Amino acid sequence: MSVDENDRPESTTPSGRPRPTRNGYVASGFVLAVFSLLAMFLAQPVWFLCFPGIGLSLGGLLQVQKTDEKNGRGLAIAGLVLNLIAVSLVLWFFLGPRAVGVPTAD
């Protein structure tokens, strides 16, 4: 006996309202943003995670806007902003001394 996907009842909360859907791209982008910022300040070599985090946050934001969802827009914007802050810090840490003319240990 097979169950058709369309025959399944929609997931609801205890109050009977439909459960809000979550966008996986949005959540992944935000998690990568937080993780890359924490790793940067803990001197761990995984700061590069901010680059895919930008793509995931931006893709999630575009999906949220395309489907006109109300849920997830704020998290997508927060993930995008945090990832851009992480990228600017990475560029500042690596290119900052050279741009100002400070001698480095190369």
Side-chain angles (χ1 to χ4, degrees):
M1 180 174 181
S2 68
V3 176
D4 188 17
E5 192 173 298
N6 295 330
D7 291 340
R8 292 185 184 161
E10 188 175 320
S11 177
T12 59
T13 61
S15 64
R17 294 187 200 144
R19 251 182 232 285
T21 58
R22 302 281 182 213
N23 191 323
Y25 289 120
V26 170
S28 300
F30 185 77
V31 167
L32 285 178
V34 171
F35 190 68
S36 63
L37 282 173
L38 285 176
M40 192 180 313
F41 288 111
L42 296 175
Q44 298 298 317
V46 291
W47 50 264
F48 59 86
L49 291 176
C50 56
F51 295 110
I54 289 174
L56 288 170
S57 294
L58 190 59
L61 182 62
L62 293 175
Q63 276 186 352
V64 166
Q65 288 178 345
K66 187 172 85 173
T67 59
D68 201 27
E69 293 178 32
K70 302 288 186 261
N71 194 14
R73 185 173 186 271
L75 193 62
I77 292 172
L80 190 60
V81 168
L82 289 176
N83 277 309
L84 290 174
I85 289 172
V87 166
S88 65
L89 287 174
V90 165
L91 292 176
W92 183 62
F93 287 148
F94 287 117
L95 300 178
R98 295 171 199 228
V100 201
V102 176
T104 59
D106 286 337

